[in-house]
Amino acid sequence: MKRAAFYWIYCAGFVTIVAALVGSIGSETIAQGRSGDRVVQIPDPPQRPDGLGPQLVCGTPEPDPEKARLVEDYSLRFRGGAATALKPIGPIQVYVHVIRSSSGSGGVTSQQITQQIDVLNAAYASSGFSFTVASTDTTNNGTWYTCSGGSCETAMKTALHKGDASALNMYFNNMGGGLLGWATFPWDYASAPQMDGVVVLSSSLPGGNAAPYNLGDTATHEVGHWLGLYHTFQGGCNGNGDFVGDTPAERSPAFGCPVGRDSCVGRKNPGVDPITNFMDYTDDACMNTFSSGQDNRMNSMWTTYR
């Protein structure tokens, strides 16, 4: 009995230490790499090969290997090594923050917000998550309207954020820097609760003018990060990738809808690139899938961190 008690005290202490370390390693939101900046902008994004404008991207970070390892270790120990069974979670309360220019131009309509929530509910149905609007507020602020991270993001979120770790704060603005949006990860909440949430380009909502990214799946993608998913192309063809076993490795982001693309070949990397996965960079019309492994990961991360 004494030995068993000592074991559980040891495990509890280890988990507490790891949780503190995970929270203390920076919670930067950055695009395709690591930096001390919260968001790395792309002032001159490359043009799409099909001529449909610039290749817009997500500004959510790829964590450094040490933080990624700590996140996985803590989640595993929190759950006692057992997989988390899929179960209905929600409805998640969504606090919508519409940011317009100082003159009141821009923003999104109530119909677009309703359609966006419908898109999220359809995308996450198989994962067991559902969403409902808790409240909507509108702010006219020229600085926040074009905010692409940095001090303006901190000011905006500090003023507007609502709810606890289980609530989703969604900010809609007219960001620049070649970005469609960015998000925080669930394990960052403990160290920076006011920064938690997703920021999404207003024109990417259903009916917006950011074609071919205007069917609402930018928000689907960013909420995936908020629930603990990485990009499908994280790590390229080597290492742990996105830490999901059933998403084939992918050397780099896919744009458009390149059916049959296979950027990681060989026996170690079976399967073609997951171009229809919501966590890639393909067009909204091309995205329609979360894998079973991603469903399980989101549930595990929710249980662990939210």
Side-chain angles (χ1 to χ4, degrees):
M1 289 293 292
K2 289 182 179 179
R3 185 174 297 176
F6 174 79
Y7 172 79
W8 288 112
I9 291 172
Y10 169 81
C11 287
F14 181 88
V15 167
T16 301
I17 292 170
V18 171
L21 287 171
V22 168
S24 67
I25 299 176
S27 57
E28 297 85 4
T29 306
I30 54 180
Q32 297 311 306
R34 305 178 190 92
S35 167
D37 297 331
R38 189 171 297 280
V39 177
V40 173
Q41 300 182 30
I42 306 173
D44 189 21
Q47 294 295 303
R48 292 165 51 98
D50 55 16
L52 294 179
Q55 294 182 165
L56 302 181
V57 300
C58 162
T60 306
E62 178 179 323
D64 64 76
E66 178 62 10
K67 181 166 185 176
R69 183 188 65 79
L70 287 172
V71 165
E72 301 309 309
D73 194 36
Y74 177 59
S75 179
L76 184 64
R77 288 178 179 274
F78 183 90
R79 294 179 282 108
T84 301
L86 289 181
K87 58 183 180 181
I89 296 175
I92 293 171
Q93 301 298 300
V94 182
Y95 294 96
V96 176
H97 310 290
V98 179
I99 312 299
R100 302 188 304 193
S101 72
S102 57
S103 65
S105 62
V108 298
T109 67
S110 58
Q111 181 181 11
Q112 284 182 295
I113 293 170
T114 297
Q115 292 172 333
Q116 180 62 78
I117 297 300
D118 289 344
V119 169
L120 290 178
N121 281 323
Y124 285 92
S126 65
S127 307
F129 293 95
S130 61
F131 305 84
T132 188
V133 174
S135 69
T136 301
D137 54 65
T138 301
T139 302
N140 295 349
N141 186 305
T143 301
W144 298 355
Y145 181 57
T146 57
C147 181
S148 301
S151 60
C152 58
E153 179 193 6
T154 302
M156 176 179 71
K157 290 184 173 180
T158 299
L160 300 179
H161 185 277
K162 296 179 181 179
D164 58 16
S166 66
L168 171 60
N169 281 259
M170 299 188 75
Y171 304 82
F172 299 129
N173 79 347
N174 189 36
M175 68 188 69
L179 298 177
L180 283 165
W182 69 88
T184 58
F185 289 114
W187 46 86
D188 291 326
Y189 180 86
S191 62
Q194 292 298 315
M195 300 304 293
D196 189 58
V198 304
V199 186
V200 175
L201 182 67
S202 295
S203 56
S204 73
L205 269 66
N209 61 8
Y213 310 111
N214 62 342
L215 301 181
D217 283 324
T218 290
T220 304
H221 178 105
E222 300 305 341
V223 172
H225 289 311
W226 185 78
L227 290 170
L229 296 182
Y230 296 125
H231 292 131
T232 52
F233 48 84
Q234 177 167 308
C237 301
N238 303 305
N240 293 309
D242 63 353
F243 291 89
V244 176
D246 62 355
T247 53
E250 189 174 19
R251 184 175 299 279
S252 60
F255 292 92
C257 196
V259 176
R261 181 180 190 248
D262 190 4
S263 58
C264 294
V265 298
R267 287 185 297 176
K268 281 197 318 181
N269 298 306
V272 297
D273 293 357
I275 64 164
T276 62
N277 196 283
F278 288 117
M279 302 312 294
D280 205 340
Y281 277 1
T282 49
D283 297 348
D284 282 14
C286 191
M287 294 179 168
N288 56 34
T289 304
F290 285 119
S291 72
S292 295
Q294 287 174 317
D295 291 343
N296 288 326
R297 179 180 175 83
M298 288 188 282
N299 274 258
S300 294
M301 293 299 164
W302 179 274
T303 301
T304 304
Y305 295 104
R306 295 206 180 275

